[in-house]
Amino acid sequence: MSDFAPQTADGKVLWHFTMSLDGFVAGPDHDMTWMETGISERPGFAKQYVETTGAVLGGRRGWDMFPDAGSVYGGDWTGPVFVLTHHPEDATPADRVTFLNCDVAEAVRIALAAADGRNVEVLSPDIGRQLLERGLIDEIDLHIAPVLLGDGIRLYEHLGGRPIYLHRVGVDDPTAEVDVRYRPAAA
């Protein structure tokens, strides 16, 4: 049973990821095969994001690894995708995809306008970090998968940076630790 409240479409900038227990959102070279087995979603998981997401903002490295706007939420979501890149001129055009070469704050403004009152999902660790540092992330949704990757692309990496404290949504004590307990799966 989860105490995770359903997502709402409030025009938020939402940094959203499934993450390994050790903090990786992708394996080395954006490998996502770790999500294909041994992990299950709660019922209705994807549906709530399909219904509340108005636009997606991602980065070029992730896009180059997964260049298909039709794959977002298994193809059930059909809104605009914005890819922030320093080199839009060498990007291959794709349906529903706009390549942007601008400041991250401007990219969020463009995505929010396109989202038409629904949420903008940020699907990039680097862009999410930049937006968080500028105070432009409204909410972070993390789904912790029962796996340890040991290497890959971290959700948040800012070596030498200051801690960023968060408040948990929908609980009496927003600063309380989250307790999880796992056992190694039988081999």
Side-chain angles (χ1 to χ4, degrees), residues 115-138:
D116 195 30
R118 292 187 294 162
N119 301 335
V120 171
E121 278 203 31
V122 178
L123 300 179
S124 164
D126 188 49
I127 293 170
R129 178 189 53 77
Q130 292 175 59
L131 294 173
L132 187 62
E133 289 170 354
R134 292 185 186 196
L136 297 173
I137 292 288
D138 296 310

Side-chain angles (χ1 to χ4, degrees), residues 88-121:
E89 70 280 354
D90 63 10
T92 303
D95 289 342
R96 300 186 358 242
V97 178
T98 302
F99 295 94
L100 302 173
N101 180 8
C102 59
D103 183 75
V104 293
E106 178 66 8
V108 164
R109 187 195 65 73
I110 292 167
L112 280 168
D116 195 30
R118 292 187 294 162
N119 301 335
V120 171
E121 278 203 31

Side-chain angles (χ1 to χ4, degrees), residues 27-115:
D29 299 319
H30 285 83
D31 176 54
M32 300 300 287
T33 57
W34 60 274
M35 293 182 71
E36 294 172 4
T37 60
I39 299 169
S40 59
E41 295 177 352
R42 71 181 186 289
F45 168 81
K47 184 177 187 268
Q48 70 177 314
Y49 292 97
V50 168
E51 292 172 354
T52 60
T53 300
V56 167
L57 175 61
R60 179 67 183 268
R61 284 176 289 196
W63 174 257
D64 285 347
M65 293 302 295
F66 302 98
D68 181 8
S71 68
V72 178
Y73 293 116
D76 291 336
W77 183 79
T78 58
V81 174
F82 298 92
V83 177
L84 193 54
T85 176
H86 294 291
H87 301 283
E89 70 280 354
D90 63 10
T92 303
D95 289 342
R96 300 186 358 242
V97 178
T98 302
F99 295 94
L100 302 173
N101 180 8
C102 59
D103 183 75
V104 293
E106 178 66 8
V108 164
R109 187 195 65 73
I110 292 167
L112 280 168

